[in-house]
Amino acid sequence: MHFHDNHRKVDYVLAYHYRKRGAHPGHGSPGHSLAIVSNGETGKDPQAGAPGDIELGPLDALEEERKEQREEFEHNLMEAGLELEKDLESKSQGSVFVRIHAPWQVLAREAEFLKIKVPTKKMYEIKSQGSIAKTFNKILHKLSEPLKPRVPEHSNSRMKNLSYPFSREKMYLYDIRDKDTFFDNATRSRIVHEILKRTTCSRANNTMGINSLIANNIYEAAYPLHDGEYDRPGEDMNDRKLLYQEWARYGVFYKFQPIDLIRKYFGEKIGLYFAWLGLYTSFLIPSSVIGIIVFLYGCATIEEDIPSKEMCDRQNAFTMCPLCDTSCDYWNLSSACGTARASHLFDNPATVVFSIFMALWATMFLENWKRLQMRLGYFWDLTGIEEEEEHSRPEYETKVREKMLKESNKSVVQKLGTSGTEAEDEDDEDKLTWKDRFPGYLMNFASILFMIALTFSIVFGVIVYRITTAAALSLNKATRSNVRVTVTATAVIINLVVILILDEIYGAVAKWLTKIEVPKTEQTFEERLILKAFLLKFVNAYSPIFYVAFFKGRFVGRPGSYVYVFDGYRMEECAPGGCLMELCIQLSIIMLGKQLIQNNIFEIGVPKLKKLFRKLKDETEPEEADSAHSKHPEQWDLDYSLEPYTGLTPEYMEMIIQFGFVTLFVASFPLAPVFALLNNVIEVRLDAKKFVTELRRPDAVRTKDIGIWFDILSGIGKFSVIINAFVIAITSDFIPRLVYQYSYSHNGTLHGFVNHTLSFFNVSQLKEGTQPENSQFEQEVQFCRFKDYREPPWAPNPYEFSKQYWAVLSARLAFVIIFQNLVMFLSVLVDWMIPDIPTDISDQIKREKSLFVDFFLKEEHEKLKLTEEPAQRSQSSGHRSRRGPAASPAPSGRSQPGSSASSGSQHTSV
């Protein structure tokens, strides 16, 4: 953790791989490493500068160029005030770690420049709430005591330091007891990272920042150090070890997260992610309870459901039309009894209430997150922070340089001819305009359209598979009875595998497309990448579900006039109990499969495989290693072997897609929140373990919110209202049952509902060659039934849509409008009732401002006193010195040294 002097702390590490001139793998003599320190005690490599007797090859020339660029960059870092230490390149090839230490002067200068808020001497007690709220909080605090992690930050949460942006002119405001520990490790590494980002290297085409140098392979990695080992029992306790014991183990899954310690160690951006994930997981608890109640209600009322009873009653003997041409026979509706009963578990009046609840739940979750975000912003001193100026990305700089080279290659005549617009051209030269980006935008548009079309075509391919497989299985008597179950299960598994594969492909494609756009800053790059990846993954994950919910069984036609996909293959129909049961199966398998395989197995297995591969690669590389060093590796060696941190986008993305599963189609699968909750309990600890044990320490990033993810969540919440309205109105039988019960039923019950929804068809009107072969029915069938609202064969307009069809359709549309407006109104009402900023936090912010003014004036007054006292002393001593010479007259004709001959001038020289 320190330089070789065991005093200066390592704040940041740069790593690179070197290869000496003419060196080849397996050659070279091992040597011991000596420290090179930047404070004037620079050691000299005895082999450095020696005349080489080997000609420079292409690789050697490239290595020499990189070495010169590194030397210049490191020199510029030292010019910025940083102190560097690295080992001599004593081997033929190997890795070198440049350790960087920021002394107090640099930390103070950069903290002032970055306006980093630091605690002052003044501490104050956070104002208590009202008596009732105070009593309730005390009871809650006692009950939740076993669930709290044992970390120092949770011990004294009622006191808070006043914070103020660091200023070297106001050092008297801060409680600086030890300059080495005044700034914590995360802040120190953040300051060094800011210097690394803005330091230039003229040899590398005036490249700015360490990110550009890493992109050009001049350095391999740059990272702050972890606070030590997390699993060694003998060592002293550090923040990393504490996080591992109280947060990053599956054994503490029931405990709250130590959010303050996470923020202190990883920075505000990662702290906000885990705070959001924790709130989302805790909000899933009430929705899971309600979902289980809705499911149990369906189980309890299954025997009282009249439509499923009628379907299961063999005495009704509804003879249904064949499900396929020629090979399929007529069949009794009672044979689909199991499907009908299972559909009632999810298609009952309670699911409508649950859909309204979940829409309000999403609104309440977002409102509570805004409140928690403000609360954390207050405690973490994020209120009023300014957006930091971001540096250009290396790829953007490269594109600008290429553009400027093209412009400079123009002839002098052309430049003279355009002298009137010279200023405008100069402005455009150092940035990329929309004309420069147009090919990238065009490629993005075309590629995204192609990817969406590819997803739809795969969904269509699965539909064709279902149709052809169903037709093939229907030919065999042995498999005919289980056709629907077999086809549905295999098709869902195919969909799941395709979704998992395309998810990985689309993630890589979205990154490539964003690089083509050449965004200027990292923030812009991240936002555009998120939007593209979300759009592609959203379409990929939900296309099969949208098909089953809204399109399957809608374009089948009717007996005698079926719609055919290919020659002889009819479009597939919904099950007799409706498509809602199949939608539930599709949603549950895709959701559970994604969570189990992608979110957990991939997250656990892939890092372990990468680590194993890297370990095998290190063992096979013929690098000369010091045996003593390999037994006791330094912290920078241990951290270098970890996976690099690549951002929070994958973590947020999987949770956002899950949020869609929980909210969008919750009317068809009330148990979705339960499975999401079970997954998230594991996910929190899985992510925690990954950050603490498997990743290099990320740079601490200050941010006030979760950025564009909140807008995506809000959009999904609003979209879910519309989707659930259509699922209830179109996919489920809720509206047809209501229309029948209140418009067509003789006694106001659902008796006769199944007969009401089935239309008649005269089997003599079946097309030639489509009639069932070798029908097994005992009596000759004259009329068969099919599910639709159509006129009977004996009506004046046979097989046209009946009045009941139009009545049900209008009721469905009316329900969508009423449901959508009602839920939107309730959501707006909830939004209005819950203020974004908690009242106690807004009061504390006002109080903190007034407290700081008083504290500032008091400190200024004390400082003024301290400066006035020496002045008064010097003034009184001046009076005494003036009275002293008056008592003894000076010799005539000479003036005393240090005094003035003029009586009007009485200044004391100091």
Side-chain angles (χ1 to χ4, degrees):
M1 296 297 295
H2 293 83
F3 278 13
H4 281 282
D5 59 9
N6 286 326
H7 177 66
R8 286 175 290 178
K9 192 181 288 184
V10 178
D11 297 316
Y12 220 86
V13 175
L14 307 180
Y16 65 88
H17 190 85
Y18 74 90
R19 177 178 165 273
K20 286 203 170 182
R21 186 183 303 176
H24 298 284
H27 294 82
S29 58
H32 61 280
S33 61
L34 298 174
I36 298 181
V37 191
S38 69
N39 59 356
E41 302 167 9
T42 308
K44 296 285 184 182
D45 186 352
Q47 296 176 358
D53 55 349
I54 301 169
E55 287 187 19
L56 287 178
L59 286 173
D60 295 323
L62 181 63
E63 184 60 38
E64 285 294 320
E65 186 184 349
R66 286 176 179 170
K67 185 178 180 182
E68 289 172 359
Q69 291 171 2
R70 284 195 293 266
E71 285 174 355
E72 187 204 344
F73 184 71
E74 288 164 17
H75 174 74
N76 290 342
L77 291 178
M78 288 189 277
E79 288 289 322
L82 297 175
E83 296 177 3
L84 274 61
E85 177 188 75
K86 66 177 177 179
D87 297 329
L88 288 174
E89 298 174 3
S90 55
K91 307 168 190 173
S92 61
Q93 64 175 343
S95 296
V96 170
F97 300 97
V98 182
R99 281 90 69 186
I100 301 173
H101 168 76
W104 171 256
Q105 293 82 0
V106 175
L107 292 172
R109 181 191 73 210
E110 295 298 321
E112 185 173 355
F113 173 68
L114 295 171
K115 297 178 181 175
I116 293 175
K117 283 189 172 184
V118 292
T120 61
K121 295 175 186 175
K122 175 70 175 175
M123 285 190 77
Y124 69 97
E125 188 178 359
I126 298 170
K127 196 176 180 182
S128 300
Q129 298 167 332
S131 58
I132 299 171
K134 192 176 179 182
T135 310
F136 178 74
N137 280 338
K138 275 186 178 179
I139 296 167
L140 199 65
H141 180 79
K142 283 182 180 178
L143 291 174
S144 62
E145 195 64 41
L147 305 178
K148 289 185 178 178
R150 295 191 298 274
V151 294
E153 275 67 24
H154 286 259
S155 57
N156 189 12
S157 58
R158 300 308 305 167
M159 300 298 292
K160 185 179 183 296
N161 278 92
L162 279 176
S163 296
Y164 186 72
F166 189 84
S167 172
R168 287 173 290 180
E169 294 178 355
K170 296 182 174 64
M171 299 283 278
Y172 54 88
L173 294 177
Y174 315 110
D175 188 15
I176 305 174
R177 295 174 186 174
D178 185 359
K179 289 183 178 179
D180 289 337
T181 57
F182 181 70
F183 294 106
D184 59 30
N185 290 347
T187 308
R188 292 175 71 100
S189 63
R190 179 184 161 217
I191 287 171
V192 175
H193 184 61
E194 286 296 327
I195 298 172
L196 289 170
K197 281 200 297 185
R198 67 167 189 262
T199 303
T200 56
C201 181
S202 59
R203 289 180 184 270
N205 297 322
N206 285 318
T207 301
M208 177 177 280
I210 186 64
N211 294 333
S212 303
L213 296 175
I214 291 172
N216 295 328
N217 297 316
I218 295 164
Y219 287 98
E220 276 190 30
Y223 52 91
L225 288 182
H226 277 293
D227 280 2
E229 299 258 18
Y230 64 89
D231 55 354
R232 191 171 291 178
E235 289 188 354
D236 294 333
M237 184 62 71
N238 57 58
D239 285 347
R240 188 188 187 193
K241 198 172 185 179
L242 194 60
L243 282 171
Y244 178 73
Q245 290 180 357
E246 295 295 323
W247 179 53
R249 292 187 301 115
Y250 295 111
V252 292
F253 73 93
Y254 60 91
K255 287 190 176 183
F256 296 136
Q257 297 184 89
I259 292 297
D260 292 326
L261 187 60
I262 297 166
R263 171 252 179 179
K264 179 189 170 188
Y265 192 79
F266 292 111
E268 283 77 9
K269 190 171 186 178
I270 293 172
L272 283 174
Y273 163 70
F274 280 105
W276 174 84
L277 182 57
L279 183 72
Y280 171 50
T281 305
S282 62
F283 255 73
L284 284 171
I285 295 171
S287 59
S288 300
V289 171
I290 304 295
I292 291 169
I293 291 170
V294 168
F295 179 72
L296 292 176
Y297 171 82
C299 295
T301 57
I302 195 166
E303 298 297 334
E304 301 167 15
D305 184 47
I306 296 168
S308 60
K309 274 185 179 179
E310 288 184 349
M311 283 183 70
C312 294
D313 189 1
R314 294 182 181 273
Q315 294 179 356
N316 286 329
F318 294 113
T319 304
M320 305 298 292
C321 295
L323 294 172
C324 63
D325 295 343
T326 311
S327 58
C328 294
D329 197 1
Y330 303 106
W331 55 285
N332 280 320
L333 186 61
S334 58
S335 63
C337 175
T339 311
R341 289 170 68 85
S343 295
H344 177 72
L345 298 175
F346 304 103
D347 189 3
N348 57 67
T351 55
V352 180
V353 180
F354 188 57
S355 300
I356 297 172
F357 167 79
M358 285 304 293
L360 298 179
W361 172 88
T363 306
M364 289 187 70
F365 164 63
L366 293 175
E367 287 303 309
N368 273 274
W369 167 245
K370 283 195 276 188
R371 289 168 64 82
L372 178 60
Q373 199 168 249
M374 284 302 301
R375 190 175 292 279
L376 292 174
Y378 163 69
F379 283 106
W380 294 353
D381 298 316
L382 299 176
T383 51
I385 66 164
E386 298 175 5
E387 291 292 330
E388 294 176 8
E389 184 182 352
E390 284 202 79
H391 301 288
S392 301
R393 296 176 64 250
E395 293 83 357
Y396 182 84
E397 288 180 354
T398 307
K399 280 284 182 184
V400 170
R401 273 199 302 275
E402 288 174 3
K403 182 186 175 184
M404 291 175 76
L405 281 171
K406 285 180 184 176
E407 294 291 331
S408 63
N409 289 336
K410 286 183 179 179
S411 64
V412 179
V413 178
Q414 285 177 322
K415 286 188 177 180
L416 290 171
T418 57
S419 59
T421 58
E422 190 176 351
E424 292 178 13
D425 289 343
E426 284 179 3
D427 288 340
D428 289 341
E429 272 182 17
D430 61 349
K431 63 181 180 182
L432 297 181
T433 60
W434 69 270
K435 291 179 183 177
D436 302 316
R437 288 197 171 103
F438 183 72
Y441 290 148
L442 193 63
M443 188 68 181
N444 267 263
F445 183 72
S447 300
I448 288 170
L449 282 183
F450 172 75
M451 293 296 168
I452 292 172
L454 175 67
T455 306
F456 289 159
S457 63
I458 289 171
V459 171
F460 181 72
V462 175
I463 295 167
V464 172
Y465 161 79
R466 294 160 72 116
I467 293 168
T468 53
T469 308
L473 292 174
S474 299
L475 296 172
N476 192 343
K477 289 183 180 180
T479 57
R480 195 175 293 169
S481 57
N482 297 319
V483 168
R484 197 178 294 277
V485 176
T486 308
V487 169
T488 302
T490 53
V492 171
I493 292 167
I494 291 169
N495 272 326
L496 174 62
V497 172
V498 168
I499 285 169
L500 292 175
I501 293 169
L502 287 184
D503 250 11
E504 301 302 315
I505 295 170
Y506 286 169
V509 168
K511 198 169 186 178
W512 175 68
L513 290 175
T514 313
K515 283 180 180 176
I516 288 175
E517 276 190 55
V518 199
K520 185 174 182 180
T521 62
E522 284 294 339
Q523 185 179 353
T524 314
F525 179 88
E526 189 179 9
E527 286 180 355
R528 292 183 184 182
L529 172 63
I530 287 166
L531 285 175
K532 287 183 191 64
F534 173 72
L535 176 63
L536 292 173
K537 291 189 177 189
F538 183 89
V539 171
N540 180 39
Y542 295 113
S543 292
I545 300 169
F546 270 91
Y547 164 71
V548 173
F550 303 122
F551 298 103
K552 186 180 178 182
R554 311 289 167 202
F555 311 103
V556 178
R558 60 170 180 81
S561 181
Y562 282 116
V563 177
Y564 290 86
V565 182
F566 299 111
D567 187 26
Y569 291 110
R570 273 164 45 181
M571 280 293 289
E572 57 178 348
E573 301 178 43
C574 287
C579 271
L580 198 72
M581 189 62 206
E582 191 173 338
L583 176 62
C584 172
I585 294 167
Q586 184 105 1
L587 187 68
S588 59
I589 291 178
I590 290 176
M591 180 183 176
L592 293 174
K594 266 182 72 68
Q595 289 186 167
L596 184 65
I597 298 170
Q598 192 176 38
N599 299 359
N600 293 324
I601 293 176
F602 280 12
E603 280 195 34
I604 295 168
V606 172
K608 287 192 181 297
L609 287 173
K610 282 184 178 178
K611 195 173 181 180
L612 180 65
F613 177 74
R614 198 165 48 246
K615 189 179 178 182
L616 291 172
K617 187 182 174 185
D618 291 342
E619 286 175 358
T620 53
E621 278 186 1
E623 186 176 321
E624 309 92 356
D626 189 1
S627 59
H629 183 265
S630 60
K631 285 180 184 176
H632 304 287
E634 300 285 358
Q635 189 62 45
W636 47 84
D637 288 300
L638 295 170
D639 288 4
Y640 182 67
S641 65
L642 299 175
E643 280 290 307
Y645 167 72
T646 54
L648 287 169
T649 302
E651 270 69 34
Y652 271 116
M653 188 65 73
E654 69 182 66
M655 287 296 108
I656 297 292
I657 296 294
Q658 186 203 80
F659 183 79
F661 281 121
V662 168
T663 54
L664 289 177
F665 294 94
V666 76
S668 63
F669 188 42
L671 294 178
V674 180
F675 292 112
L677 175 64
L678 295 173
N679 174 78
N680 285 11
V681 169
I682 301 168
E683 182 70 25
V684 171
R685 306 301 159 179
L686 184 65
D687 283 349
K689 191 175 182 183
K690 183 169 70 175
F691 273 89
V692 173
T693 66
E694 294 171 6
L695 295 181
R696 290 176 194 156
R697 188 172 183 172
D699 295 301
V701 179
R702 280 176 79 80
T703 182
K704 291 188 288 187
D705 49 40
I706 60 172
I708 198 170
W709 295 111
F710 184 84
D711 300 325
I712 293 174
L713 284 166
S714 183
I716 290 176
K718 290 178 174 61
F719 190 48
S720 69
V721 177
I722 302 165
I723 294 297
N724 280 305
F726 277 99
V727 166
I728 295 166
I730 294 172
T731 315
S732 77
D733 280 339
F734 178 73
I735 299 301
R737 289 182 184 189
L738 281 181
V739 171
Y740 175 78
Q741 188 172 356
Y742 294 106
S743 299
Y744 298 100
S745 177
H746 299 294
N747 53 4
T749 64
L750 287 173
H751 287 287
F753 171 73
V754 174
N755 184 49
H756 178 76
T757 58
L758 298 176
S759 300
F760 286 91
F761 180 76
N762 191 341
V763 297
S764 63
Q765 295 175 354
L766 284 170
K767 286 184 179 179
E768 191 67 30
T770 62
Q771 297 95 341
E773 293 180 349
N774 305 320
S775 178
Q776 301 294 320
F777 263 63
E778 296 171 3
Q779 69 272 21
E780 188 179 346
V781 178
Q782 186 179 0
F783 295 100
C784 66
R785 310 293 293 271
F786 64 98
K787 191 171 182 179
D788 207 347
Y789 292 101
R790 290 183 183 267
E791 296 289 348
W794 53 83
N797 299 313
Y799 309 125
E800 293 292 323
F801 287 119
S802 63
K803 290 179 181 178
Q804 290 93 327
Y805 171 82
W806 298 111
V808 169
L809 181 64
S810 58
R812 281 173 164 162
L813 295 175
F815 174 81
V816 168
I817 294 166
I818 293 167
F819 182 89
Q820 181 184 334
N821 285 284
L822 173 66
V823 175
M824 287 290 188
F825 169 74
L826 291 173
S827 300
V828 171
L829 187 65
V830 169
D831 190 357
W832 174 75
M833 288 174 66
I834 303 173
D836 292 348
I837 306 174
T839 311
D840 60 325
I841 294 299
S842 59
D843 292 342
Q844 292 294 348
I845 291 170
K846 291 173 187 173
R847 181 168 171 245
E848 192 173 269
K849 286 179 181 177
S850 61
L851 279 171
F852 183 78
V853 170
D854 296 340
F855 168 67
F856 189 78
L857 290 175
K858 182 184 174 185
E859 290 293 324
E860 283 287 327
H861 185 63
E862 287 183 3
K863 183 191 173 187
L864 195 63
K865 266 185 176 180
L866 290 172
T867 53
E868 281 177 354
E869 282 177 7
Q872 287 173 357
R873 288 198 201 98
S874 62
Q875 193 175 0
S876 62
S877 64
H879 282 303
R880 286 197 298 272
S881 65
R882 284 196 298 273
R883 284 198 301 270
S888 58
S892 60
R894 290 189 182 180
S895 61
Q896 295 287 338
S899 65
S900 177
S902 170
S903 61
S905 178
Q906 297 180 353
H907 293 288
T908 306
S909 63
V910 179

